[in-house]
């Protein structure tokens, strides 16, 4: 495996911190607000976003919502609280178990029994992610705040997230940072070390980890994406540089098949100016 890509993904953390704090403050204040809410999972991505928001807006203007399910690891909640203590912002705990379980309890038996165990795991995981986002948007109205996204560039390119769930947000400060860059920025910001060091997990079921589910380590995926996305190398060029064809093909296929998750809903074009392709300039919105 070629390791040069990883070296080239090194970022200036001081500059990144400054730019992202400015981004958060500007995008929130330009719509007349001062506050932000985000889902706080106890993972490194939401921890980085929370740290940036607390510094950009002041910790009193940031609310982290901790939303465990009954099978969630208690350690995840403890890590989330540790982040809040470190950066001084408020938290609120909302247990999503009753609403998720109520849905599946009320569902017709054939809907539940029609899928195998693995599919049901994924369905429940998607349901949890979407329930959490509805809670965040409810709190955003209560707080007069914008919802901050916590999906990184690696996850977005892989489609490793739930549409209208954890991939939803008003603004996303870290969507152009690969996972390996997130780890570097987390260390720079002073995120508690146990969070930086632990294996990434969506905490959807006991023992679940991102890398086990993806089948590859994040650093390897990020290196490959550097060539495929940043440098726009072809499949042939990447393989010629030393990557295994099966690895390249699987990651490339995930990137291709998840493109629909990275765009707004497609609107059928009937008029001269259609919202998702023609009506998209700042002057159209009066700014």
């Amino acid at each position: 495996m070629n390791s040069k890509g990883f070296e080239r993904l090194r970022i200036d953390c001081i500059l990144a911190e400054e730019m992202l704090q400015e981004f958060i403050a500007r995008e929130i204040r330009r719509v007349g607000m001062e506050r932000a809410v985000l889902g706080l999972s106890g993972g490194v991505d939401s921890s980085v976003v929370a740290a940036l928001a607390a510094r950009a807006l002041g910790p009193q203007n940031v609310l982290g919502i901790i939303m465990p399910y009954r099978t969630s690891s208690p350690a995840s909640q403890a890590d989330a609280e540790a982040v809040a203590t470190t950066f001084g912002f408020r938290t609120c705990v909302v247990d999503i178990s009753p609403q998720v379980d109520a849905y599946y309890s009320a569902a017709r038996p054939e809907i539940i029994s029609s899928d195998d165990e693995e599919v049901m795991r994924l369905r429940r995981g998607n349901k949890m992610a979407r329930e959490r986002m509805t809670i965040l948007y409810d709190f955003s109205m209560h707080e007069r705040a914008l919802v901050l996204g916590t999906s990184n560039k690696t996850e977005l390119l892989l489609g490793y997230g739930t549409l209208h769930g954890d991939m939803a947000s008003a603004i996303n400060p870290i969507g152009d940072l690969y996972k390996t860059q997130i780890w570097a920025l987390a260390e720079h910001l002073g995120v508690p070390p146990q969070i930086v060091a632990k294996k990434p997990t969506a905490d959807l079921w006991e023992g679940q980890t991102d890398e086990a589910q993806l089948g590859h380590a994040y650093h390897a995926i990020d290196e490959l994406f550097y060539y495929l996305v940043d440098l726009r190398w072809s499949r042939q060029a990447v393989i010629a540089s030393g990557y295994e064809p099966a690895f390249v093909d699987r990651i490339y296929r995930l990137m291709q098949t998840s493109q629909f998750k990275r765009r707004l809903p497609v609107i059928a074009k009937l008029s001269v100016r259609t919202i998702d392709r023609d009506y998209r300039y700042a002057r159209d919105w009066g700014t």
Side-chain angles (χ1 to χ4, degrees):
M1 180 177 294
N2 193 324
S3 62
K4 293 180 181 177
F6 179 75
E7 293 298 321
R8 294 180 188 180
L9 287 176
R10 292 188 184 277
I11 58 170
D12 182 335
C13 289
I14 295 175
L15 180 59
E17 176 188 5
E18 180 180 337
M19 292 177 66
L20 294 178
Q21 287 178 190
E22 171 60 25
F23 168 82
I24 292 170
R26 181 182 67 249
E27 293 300 320
I28 287 180
R29 288 169 181 157
R30 74 187 299 180
V31 296
M33 296 184 182
E34 291 288 335
R35 296 174 182 162
V37 298
L38 73 155
L40 198 64
S41 67
V44 68
D45 298 316
S46 64
S47 299
V48 164
V49 173
L52 291 168
R55 293 181 181 179
L57 306 170
Q60 72 280 6
N61 290 319
V62 177
L63 177 62
I65 313 296
I66 303 169
M67 295 169 281
Y69 182 66
R70 56 183 170 79
T71 58
S72 298
S73 168
S76 295
Q77 182 169 335
D79 286 340
E81 295 286 6
V83 173
T85 299
T86 299
F87 298 103
F89 58 88
R90 297 171 294 142
T91 62
C92 179
V93 178
V94 179
D95 183 355
I96 66 169
S97 303
Q99 60 209 74
V100 172
D101 291 346
Y103 170 77
Y104 286 105
S105 296
R108 297 195 306 273
E110 65 270 21
I111 294 176
I112 303 301
S113 60
S114 61
D115 292 327
D116 60 28
E117 184 178 349
E118 180 62 23
V119 173
M120 278 306 305
R121 273 184 169 183
L122 295 174
R123 284 178 60 184
R124 282 185 175 271
N126 286 335
K127 180 65 174 173
M128 291 178 208
R130 292 184 176 119
E131 290 295 338
R132 287 175 174 131
M133 192 51 63
T134 65
I135 291 167
L136 289 179
Y137 272 95
D138 182 56
F139 269 92
S140 76
M141 178 170 283
H142 173 70
E143 293 280 317
R144 283 193 51 79
L146 289 188
V147 175
L148 299 182
T150 60
S151 294
N152 61 61
K153 189 173 184 176
T154 311
E155 293 170 340
L156 291 173
L157 286 170
L158 291 169
Y160 188 65
T162 301
L163 194 61
H164 307 305
D166 54 312
M167 296 180 80
S169 63
I171 61 172
N172 183 344
I174 64 168
D176 202 27
L177 289 171
Y178 290 110
K179 187 73 172 189
T180 47
Q181 295 171 328
I182 294 290
W183 278 318
L185 187 56
E187 289 185 357
H188 166 75
L189 292 170
V191 170
Q194 74 271 18
I195 294 173
V196 181
K198 73 179 181 180
K199 292 182 178 180
T201 174
D203 203 14
L204 298 177
W205 55 81
E206 186 177 354
Q208 183 263 339
T209 67
D210 296 354
E211 292 178 323
Q213 199 167 355
L214 290 169
H216 304 283
Y218 271 118
H219 73 83
I221 297 172
D222 288 352
E223 289 180 23
L224 178 57
F225 274 146
Y226 173 75
Y227 292 108
L228 288 175
V229 177
D230 294 64
L231 298 188
R232 304 180 75 175
W233 281 18
S234 67
R235 171 187 179 275
Q236 293 77 11
V238 171
I239 291 172
S241 73
Y243 283 89
E244 289 291 331
F247 173 50
V248 174
D249 289 344
R250 181 168 190 272
I251 297 303
Y252 193 78
R253 186 168 58 253
L254 287 172
M255 183 171 61
Q256 282 186 314
T257 57
S258 63
Q259 173 61 18
F260 74 97
K261 291 186 177 184
R262 295 185 291 272
R263 60 180 300 177
L264 291 171
V266 182
I267 297 173
K269 185 172 179 61
L270 295 175
S271 70
V272 174
R273 304 196 67 216
T274 307
I275 289 173
D276 68 340
R277 68 208 73 178
D278 306 305
Y279 185 78
R280 58 184 181 180
Y281 304 103
R283 66 176 181 272
D284 294 328
W285 311 323
T287 57

